[in-house]
Structures are given as structure tokens and as C-alpha cells.
Amino acid sequence: MRTIRSARAGRSAGSARSTASAAGLAAASVLLGLTAGPARADTPAYAIQDLGTLGGTSSLAVAVDHDTVVGNSQLTGNTTTHAFAYDRRTQQIEDLGTLGGPSSTAVAVHGRYVIGNSPTATGASHGFVYDLRQHTLTDIGTLGGSTSTVGELSGNILVGSSSLAGDTLTHGFVYNVRTHRMKDIGSLAGPTGGSGAGEILQDRYVVGNSTVTGQPSTVLHGYVYDLRTRTFTDIGTHGAASSTVNDAAGHTVVGTYPLGGGNFGGTHGFAYNVRTGAWTDLGTNLFVHPLVGGHTVVGSDSMVGWAYDLKTNTQALVGGIGVTEPKAISGNLVVGNYYAANSFGFAYRADTGTLTKLPSLGGLNSQAVGTDHAGEIVGQAATTPPDIFTANGAYHAALWTPQP
């Protein structure tokens, strides 16, 4: 099963930033007397669950897998934030701790393992793996440099990026969560080039971005690295100066590339098929944060979200009037945030074109950042406000479950 992350991510929005944004939009809407329009009658309903906090005021859920939701929460006093895991069977929230520094951040969960990042006692950020069965936190280390960052976990394989000795170069790596072995995968430019790994497909193909031979270090190409054959494939630029991979699922890699001037210039989204090597230009409607699930690609033109069907090569708006921001996708289910006239999380079905507003926890606003193959959604929602003059109470990590 492919781990579903929050938007890259660095892909997940910070809890404080999200809360401030939602609260600002809510306050403006209250002053103007505006309310969000109702969802269509044929869209599914969702039940919401408050996952609580680690003692602080606010929390944010970023990923869900089977019985576990992971996220980040303020501690008592709100002076720092720790990663947490919420067990849906026992309804208990667990503090995952840190690697010696003051804070930690969860990125994804797959089965018994949670991955994330945390500063060590020296202040350098390292990736970590937390074993939910043994309740142990493991520092994955580095490739010889001072820092490492996790990307995605699939099966037993974790991919990410780490600085090399001297901290002048960064390379993508693969890390086995059972054997605790890290492997440097190099770059398209060889040992002296730079690379980063963000995705893994079918427990075999590592996907990321890399410098290339003969080009400045600022010029990147997307790549696919085969763990079986230990070979790189440069996915190219389709005639542009560079390409940048953003997400991958199944056999498809999606990203962006800059074209020249004229009517067809600007930044375009693209999709690349790992099996066939076929490249699909997605145009200028999906150049902001493209994501892929099955044969559906979603992204934004910086104002409105769009869904692109790779089978039919057709596009459709995500939602109606107002700004829509897709944050995650699994199959045909797209989740994200809608800003007209209030800010709320949404669930959008790309196959039916229906959009559902997600409920809050007694306040006005909510935001959705992740989903899984079962159609469950995670993010945060406002609790009941303290008085009639305030739109929202504190934001708590939330889980939305589709109702039959």
C-alpha cells in the first residue's frame, strides 16, 4: 500500500499558519455576513472525530493508515510541538518524542511505522522511524553529513535526502526500516552531483530530482531510479530548461516544467509514465503542486483547482466559485481546502464531479490535508468558539469518516 501524505509536503502546512489563515478568513466572512454554500445533495456525508492534543491548545493530523492517525500537536504551555500517533482502536494519543531536540514532526504512517523529522541535541535535523509496536524512536542517521530528511515510506523502504560529508552536497537515499541500513543512490551527474528522493513506486522505483552533467547546480531534472537494476532514468524536460517532480503513484510521475514565452509559455504541469516513458503535457492549469492518484492528476493554477483525466485527456474544475486548493489524492478522491466565502476542508470526487464540505468541531472552519485508500480524511477543524463574537475555538486534529 502506498502511504498517503499530507501535501508536500514539505508537504504539510504548519498548524499555526493554517490556524491563522482559516481564522482570518472566518473573521472576514462573519463581518461580511457570508456563509459557505451547501454541498450537493448526492455527495456523501462525513462524520468527524476530535483527536485531541498532547496537552497544548492546537493539533493537526497529517496522515492516516488503517488504525493509526499521525500528526503534530502543541504540548502543555504551547512552547513546542511533538509528533503524535493516535490509535483508533483504543482512542489513545501517543507522544512520539524527539531525537534530543525540542520538537518533532510526523510525515507519514505505514502499518507499524511512523516516519518524520526531528532536531537532535546538536540542533541538526534528522529523519526518524517510530515503531508503534515496540514504542521506539530510531534516528535514521545521515550519509555522512549533518542532516537528513524523510520523504515517503512504502513497505519496508523509506526514501529521503541527506547531506554528504562536509555538507556541500545532498543525495537521495533508501533506508530499510527493519535492517536500519541506509544506501546512497547518487545522482544523474554521478557522485559529485546533487539529488533528493521524495517518492517510491511499487517498492522498486525511487523518484526525485537531480542535477545533471554539464549544467549548473540550479538546473534540475526529474529522475526514476530502479532499485533492482541500480540504474537512473532521466525523465527529461520535454524541450524545456528543467523539470521538477512533485508526486508519484502507480506508474505515473507528475511535476512541472518551464516553457518559453508566447501563448504557450509559462510553467506547465506534466505526467510521465514509468512503464512506457510517455510524457503528457498538462498545460498551465495544473502547474501548482500537481498530485496523482490512479489516472487522475490534480493541481492548481494558483486560484482554482483542476482535475486532469489521463485516460481521456480532459480537464475539469475542482469545485465551483471560489479558490480551491487540492492537498492530497487517493484514486478518485481529492481532498483540500475551499475559500468561498469561508475556509473549509472539502472532499471532491473526480469521477462524479461532486464536492462535499467537511464539518468542523463546533467552530466555523476546517482544513483537510490527507486521505487514504479507504476514503478517510485527516486535517484539523475548529472547536466551539469561546463566545458569540468569535468564529472559532482552538483547532484540533480531526478525522473524517465517510458515512454509508
Side-chain angles (χ1 to χ4, degrees):
M1 178 184 292
R2 176 173 176 266
T3 302
I4 304 301
R5 310 158 318 284
S6 60
R8 289 200 189 266
R11 296 175 164 197
S12 60
S15 177
R17 180 180 62 188
S18 302
T19 302
S21 174
L25 284 165
S29 301
V30 169
L31 289 173
L32 294 172
L34 301 175
T35 58
R40 284 173 49 171
D42 58 348
T43 58
Y46 285 84
I48 186 172
Q49 182 179 355
D50 186 341
L51 305 185
T53 76
L54 292 173
T57 301
S58 65
S59 57
L60 168 70
V62 299
V64 56
D65 183 40
H66 296 302
D67 297 318
T68 307
V69 180
V70 299
N72 309 300
S73 171
Q74 292 177 320
L75 303 189
T76 303
N78 298 333
T79 58
T80 191
T81 298
H82 281 193
F84 71 78
Y86 180 89
D87 189 321
R88 297 176 60 191
R89 293 169 297 179
T90 64
Q91 298 187 354
Q92 297 296 310
I93 188 170
E94 179 180 2
D95 187 338
L96 304 190
T98 77
L99 294 176
S103 63
S104 58
T105 304
V107 172
V109 57
H110 187 136
R112 65 188 284 184
Y113 298 109
V114 182
I115 62 171
N117 301 295
S118 172
T120 64
T122 64
S125 181
H126 284 196
F128 69 75
V129 176
Y130 188 89
D131 188 322
L132 293 168
R133 294 181 187 174
Q134 299 181 357
H135 303 283
T136 55
L137 185 69
T138 300
D139 185 337
I140 67 170
T142 74
L143 292 172
S146 61
T147 63
S148 61
T149 305
V150 300
E152 185 179 30
L153 174 66
S154 179
N156 297 322
I157 303 300
L158 165 65
V159 299
S161 307
S162 170
S163 59
L164 306 187
D167 291 334
T168 59
L169 281 178
T170 297
H171 278 186
F173 67 78
V174 292
Y175 177 91
N176 190 302
V177 297
R178 289 190 175 178
T179 65
H180 304 296
R181 293 182 179 178
M182 180 182 286
K183 173 181 171 57
D184 184 343
I185 65 171
S187 78
L188 291 171
T192 60
S195 67
E199 310 285 342
I200 183 167
L201 300 175
Q202 306 158 42
D203 300 336
R204 174 178 177 178
Y205 300 104
V206 180
V207 179
N209 302 295
S210 172
T211 61
V212 292
T213 303
Q215 294 291 331
S217 60
T218 54
V219 175
L220 299 178
H221 286 198
Y223 72 79
V224 177
Y225 180 84
D226 190 329
L227 291 173
R228 294 182 188 174
T229 63
R230 300 181 182 180
T231 55
F232 275 100
T233 297
D234 185 339
I235 70 173
T237 65
H238 209 58
S242 63
S243 62
T244 304
V245 168
N246 189 75
D247 194 25
H251 301 288
T252 306
V253 176
V254 296
T256 61
Y257 69 116
L259 294 184
N263 294 332
F264 300 99
T267 302
H268 285 214
F270 74 83
Y272 175 86
N273 190 301
V274 174
R275 279 181 171 177
T276 66
W279 180 291
T280 302
D281 187 333
L282 304 179
T284 57
N285 287 337
L286 291 95
F287 79 92
V288 178
H289 197 61
L291 303 166
V292 60
H295 58 84
T296 301
V297 183
V298 292
S300 169
D301 61 10
S302 78
M303 286 295 292
V304 180
W306 293 84
Y308 189 103
D309 190 319
L310 293 170
K311 286 187 175 180
T312 62
N313 292 318
T314 56
Q315 298 184 45
L317 281 170
V318 175
I321 299 174
V323 176
T324 49
E325 179 189 27
K327 300 291 286 185
I329 182 172
S330 179
N332 286 314
L333 178 64
V334 182
V335 302
N337 303 303
Y338 194 73
Y339 304 104
N342 283 306
S343 166
F344 59 84
F346 71 77
Y348 173 81
R349 293 289 310 187
D351 51 348
T352 62
T354 56
L355 184 143
T356 303
K357 172 185 174 181
L358 298 176
S360 68
L361 291 167
L364 181 64
N365 301 127
S366 62
Q367 71 155 337
V369 299
T371 185
D372 68 358
H373 294 285
E376 296 178 316
I377 301 168
V378 292
Q380 65 178 183
T383 57
T384 302
D387 54 62
I388 62 173
F389 304 104
T390 308
N392 296 304
Y395 281 75
H396 283 190
L399 170 68
W400 291 272
T401 304
Q403 301 299 291

